[in-house]
Amino acid sequence: MAKAPREVSRAEPAGDRRSWPPAATASTRRALELVAVRGKDVIGVRHMLADGRTHIGDAPASIARVPWGDLDRSAPMIAEVSGGRHVLHVPRRARARVHGADGLGRLLTGPAEIVLNEGDRAVLVMGPVHVRAQIVPIEVVSRLSTSSLRWIGLIGALYLVALAVCAAIAPRDTGGLEEAIPRALDAAAADIRAQQAPGR
């Protein structure tokens, strides 16, 4: 028997939660991860860190350039990040499965909005295309501090000083290689002429 929209059921055992991404720490930012698949083929991946929107279909901001005839309309918006909120939009006639961090699951039919929290997972179903969504921590490299920049500058200066000292104490024999090559060529030519002499 098919479940009615917004019906709540036990979806996954608590033991499966260990595979969910860990909570974001102070050195990470939260991103809305979207993975579009068609059958077993991944056709698009996007991580939304900053405020913005993601569409699917024939549009520049699309996660996957799916022929728009497969969708309800041309390039519907499916996800939005705004002011720290991660919202999944279920287009009209699309379906969604949501598995909350508490282990409860829901089924929705569009149009609808789903506000995702950390630990929630959702799948949008639009015909043959599925879009998986979840919030994941993304490590962000912090900017170098002033003291780090000073250390890098000091190391660079010491390297240049070492190069200058090496150049100053290196022998300055200018005639070594430039004179040796012509002498070697003359000796080789004389040896060839001696071997080609008629008396040999």
Side-chain angles (χ1 to χ4, degrees):
M1 180 173 163
K3 295 179 181 178
R6 305 181 187 278
E7 184 176 55
V8 177
S9 63
R10 283 280 165 192
E12 296 180 1
D16 288 345
R17 293 183 202 167
R18 63 179 174 271
S19 64
W20 294 350
T25 63
S27 62
T28 61
R29 291 177 61 188
R30 297 189 316 158
L32 178 58
E33 179 185 71
L34 302 168
V35 180
V37 296
R38 185 176 219 148
K40 294 183 179 179
D41 298 327
V42 175
I43 58 176
V45 176
R46 182 158 303 165
H47 290 88
M48 299 177 65
L49 273 167
D51 290 359
R53 297 176 175 181
T54 296
H55 299 258
I56 188 166
D58 192 13
S62 175
I63 187 174
R65 303 298 285 257
V66 180
W68 68 270
D70 291 349
L71 303 171
D72 178 49
R73 65 181 189 274
S74 178
M77 181 175 63
I78 59 168
E80 181 179 16
V81 175
S82 176
R85 292 177 73 242
H86 302 85
V87 181
L88 202 62
H89 294 273
V90 185
R92 189 166 62 89
R93 291 181 10 207
R95 293 174 291 129
R97 297 190 307 267
V98 183
H99 302 283
D102 55 3
L104 294 176
R106 331 179 255 165
L107 295 176
L108 302 170
T109 56
E113 288 185 356
I114 304 166
V115 178
L116 291 176
N117 297 307
E118 209 145 352
D120 295 344
R121 292 183 294 164
V123 179
L124 282 179
V125 180
M126 293 168 286
V129 179
H130 295 190
V131 179
R132 301 175 191 147
Q134 64 180 339
I135 296 173
V136 295
I138 301 288
E139 291 186 6
V140 178
V141 178
S142 59
R143 293 180 179 175
L144 292 174
S145 63
T146 305
S147 60
S148 301
L149 292 174
R150 285 181 185 155
W151 275 108
I152 291 172
L154 178 62
I155 292 171
L158 290 175
Y159 179 72
L160 292 175
V161 169
L163 285 178
V165 169
C166 290
I169 63 174
R172 298 193 181 273
D173 186 9
T174 58
L177 189 60
E178 294 172 354
E179 296 175 1
I181 291 175
R183 282 198 304 265
L185 289 174
D186 290 342
D191 191 31
I192 291 171
R193 282 194 297 270
Q195 289 178 2
Q196 292 177 348
R200 300 208 40 144

